[in-house]
Amino acid sequence: MSVTTHLAIGTRKGLWLAHDDETGRWSLDGPHWLMQEVPAVTWAVPAADATGPGATTVPRLLVGVRSEHWGPTVAATADLGGSWQEPDHGAIRFPEGTDSALERVWQLVADPQRPGRVWAGCEPHSLWRSDDGGSSFAINQALWEHPHKKDWFPGGGGACLHTILTDPSDDDRLLVALSTGGVYRSSDSGQSWQAASRGIRADFLPGAEPDHGQCVHKVARDAGDPLRLYAQNHGGVFRTDDGGDRWVSIDDGLPADFGFTVLAHPTTPGTAWVIPLVADVQRLPPDGRLRVWCTTDAGASWAPNESGLPDDYWGVVLRDAAAVTTDGDGGALLFLGTRNGWVYTSADGGGTFTEVARHLPDVLSVRAVRV
Amino acid sequence: MAVTVLLPGPLRADAGGQRALHVDAADAGTLGDLLDAVAAAHPALERRIRDETGQLRRFVNVFVNDDEVRGLQGVDTVLPAGATVHVLPSVAGG
C-alpha cells in the first residue's frame, strides 16, 4: 500500500500543504488562509480499523488562524484543504466573567490516545479541551485560576501556552509549558496543576532559583521513558528524569544555549534535537550556520547535522516550526521551517537535509503525518 | 429604525455575500445593540468585528455616518435614525 507524507506549513501569511508520495519530490499546495497567520497546526489520523460509510484514510487537519484585523479562529479540513469548516460562533471563546478575549491559538494537539479529543494552548495563557474533534473547546479552569497566574507575564511573542504533552503511559497525566510561567503538570486529567520547573534558569528574574516563572520555550518527551523530558529554555537546554521534579543542564557541547525548539525521537530513547541560536540578545544561528544538533545519549553529548542546511544564514527556526514523525520503520522524519520561508526535511535522523519549499512567508508551524 | 451596515470585501462571505446589511434596530439603540442583532443573524461576521468581551477588535474601524466610533462612545455610541455604519479594516499588518 502506498504511503504519503503530508506536511502542514503554517506561515505568517497563510498555510501551505506539501505532499510526498515517497518519490522524494514534494508537491506544494497553497496558499490557504491567505494573509492570515497560522501559528498552530495538528493532524488527526483516522482510526486504522475504521470501516463502513464515511470511513477514510485522509487525515483531518486543524489549524489555528489569526487575522491581524478580524481576530483568531480555529478551522478544520477533512479533504486536505479542499474545503474548510469553521464554527460560526468560534471554537474557542473565553467564557463570560473571565474578562478576556482569545488573542491567538499557539498550539493544537490532536490527542493520540483519545480520538476526537483536541487540546489547545492559547494566548492569554490558557489551556482548552475539545471532545468533539475541535468544533468547541472548554477552558481548563484549574490552570486559568492557578495561584501562580499573577506571576506569569508575556514573553516576547505574547502570553502563550505553547506546549501540551499527553502521556502515552497514563491518560491522566498532562504537561504544559508557558512563556513566561514555566512547566506545569497534572496527574488528574487537568483538575489540578503543579509547577514542575525546578532547576530551569530564569536569567531575567532576580533572586534565588525560582519555583516557577521561567520562560521555557519548548518541551519534548523522550520515547523510552515518559518521565524523561527535554526542554529548550530561554537560556539553557535541560532534561528531567522524574517528570519535572528536577531539571539538569544538558547544554555542554552545544555552540549556544539559546533557541526556541526541541524535538524528541518518536521511537528511539535518548535521542533529541535542538537548533541553537547565539543568545537572547542575538537570535541568530552561531556563525551564520543553520544547524540541527542531535544527542543520542540524552544530552551527554551533541553533534550537528552533516549537510543540507545553509551557511551565511541569518534566520531562525521558531518553537513550532520544527517537527518529527515516524518514518514507519523505526526511524524519524524531521522537518523545519525558517523565518526566511525555507522548509527542510531529513529522512536520516537529522544527518542530512533536503529542501521541501522555499520563498514562503515566515514559517511559524510545521507538522507532518504519514498515511 | 433602519440602519445600513456597509461591509468590506473580506467580511462579505460571512454575510452571505452581501455588501450591505439592512438591520431593523431599536430606536435610540447603540452600536453594541446593533452588533447584537448582527450576531443573531450572522455570528461569524460579528465575531470578526468585536471580541467575546464585546470590544471592537483593535484593527477594525467602525464609522457611524462619517465619525469613527472610538472618538464617540465606542460600542455605546447611540445610532441616529437612518444611520449608515461603515466597517473598515484599519491600516495594519506587514
Side-chain angles (χ1 to χ4, degrees):
Chain A
M1 195 171 87
S2 67
V3 174
T4 300
T5 302
H6 303 288
L7 178 66
I9 307 167
T11 80
R12 192 159 183 273
K13 297 188 179 182
L15 171 80
W16 277 259
L17 299 175
H19 312 284
D20 173 20
D21 59 3
E22 295 200 316
T23 62
R25 291 186 301 274
W26 290 87
S27 60
L28 200 61
D29 165 40
H32 305 266
W33 300 98
L34 182 62
M35 289 309 295
Q36 302 198 46
E37 69 169 29
V38 185
V41 292
T42 189
W43 294 97
V45 181
D49 57 356
T51 58
T56 177
T57 58
V58 177
R60 189 160 173 268
L61 174 65
L62 284 96
V63 296
V65 178
R66 178 177 169 272
S67 161
E68 196 78 38
H69 293 100
W70 317 118
T73 193
V74 175
T77 177
D79 55 7
L80 299 175
S83 60
W84 293 90
Q85 294 77 49
E86 181 190 357
D88 276 350
H89 290 86
I92 298 177
R93 291 177 66 88
F94 274 86
E96 284 186 29
T98 59
D99 196 29
S100 296
L102 179 67
E103 295 290 336
R104 181 187 276 111
V105 180
W106 281 80
Q107 184 83 163
L108 289 168
V109 176
D111 193 320
Q113 277 88 45
R114 300 188 192 190
R117 177 163 293 180
V118 182
W119 298 94
C122 295
E123 176 185 347
H125 298 115
S126 53
L127 175 68
W128 303 72
R129 192 183 91 188
S130 170
D131 287 318
D132 59 8
S135 296
S136 62
F137 287 78
I139 194 168
N140 182 283
Q141 289 288 354
L143 193 66
W144 179 250
E145 296 168 356
H146 200 283
H148 291 174
K149 185 178 172 184
K150 66 184 187 315
D151 302 326
W152 304 339
F153 61 88
C160 57
L161 190 154
H162 52 68
T163 297
I164 305 165
L165 296 179
T166 59
D167 187 332
S169 69
D170 186 338
D171 284 350
D172 292 330
R173 279 200 201 136
L174 291 164
L175 182 141
V176 298
L178 299 73
S179 294
T180 70
V183 178
Y184 286 80
R185 64 185 175 190
S186 172
S187 58
D188 54 12
S189 299
Q191 296 179 63
S192 64
W193 294 90
Q194 297 78 43
S197 308
R198 276 282 178 199
I200 296 179
R201 285 162 36 202
D203 298 340
F204 51 89
L205 294 175
E209 176 188 281
D211 168 71
H212 62 276
Q214 293 89 338
C215 187
V216 175
H217 285 177
K218 202 68 192 172
V219 181
R221 192 186 300 281
D222 187 80
D225 180 356
L227 297 180
R228 171 172 281 184
L229 300 145
Y230 308 95
Q232 173 64 65
N233 187 49
H234 187 105
V237 180
F238 295 87
R239 190 192 76 224
T240 178
D241 293 330
D242 49 25
D245 286 343
R246 188 74 194 174
W247 296 79
V248 296
S249 174
I250 56 168
D251 52 37
D252 275 358
L254 288 170
D257 67 5
F258 193 85
F260 287 109
T261 193
V262 60
L263 301 170
H265 197 293
T267 56
T268 302
T271 295
W273 299 269
V274 294
I275 305 175
L277 303 174
V278 175
D280 179 8
V281 294
Q282 190 176 330
R283 301 178 183 197
L284 296 168
D287 301 318
R289 302 169 71 223
L290 179 64
R291 295 293 183 270
V292 175
W293 288 70
C294 179
T295 179
T296 57
D297 51 17
S301 63
W302 297 90
N305 66 286
E306 296 159 4
S307 64
L309 296 178
D311 294 341
D312 298 318
Y313 182 84
W314 306 101
V316 304
V317 176
L318 295 175
R319 59 167 55 83
D320 282 300
V324 61
T325 190
T326 58
D327 67 0
D329 200 25
L333 289 175
L334 270 71
F335 299 89
L336 64 90
T338 73
R339 288 201 75 169
N340 302 42
W342 294 62
V343 181
Y344 299 93
T345 185
S346 170
D348 62 359
T352 59
F353 283 81
T354 57
E355 182 183 314
V356 174
R358 65 170 70 178
H359 301 324
L360 300 179
D362 324 36
V363 178
L364 305 179
S365 56
V366 297
R367 290 292 185 274
V369 65
R370 291 179 80 255
V371 291
Chain B
M1 66 177 182
V3 173
T4 299
V5 182
L6 300 179
L7 299 173
L11 294 188
R12 291 173 192 162
D14 292 314
Q18 300 177 85
R19 298 167 60 95
L21 300 177
H22 302 286
V23 181
D24 188 15
D27 290 345
T30 65
L31 175 62
D33 298 331
L34 174 74
L35 291 174
D36 288 345
V38 169
H42 305 288
L45 170 63
E46 182 267 346
R47 68 186 174 86
R48 315 274 193 226
I49 299 171
R50 60 178 179 176
D51 66 29
E52 58 265 51
T53 69
Q55 296 303 305
L56 295 176
R57 294 197 180 278
R58 181 179 174 195
F59 294 120
V60 175
N61 290 340
V62 178
F63 293 81
V64 173
N65 296 328
D66 290 333
D67 297 318
E68 209 276 320
V69 299
R70 290 186 181 86
L72 303 173
Q73 283 76 49
V75 293
D76 295 326
T77 301
V78 175
L79 303 178
T84 296
V85 173
H86 205 156
V87 179
L88 287 170
S90 72
V91 179

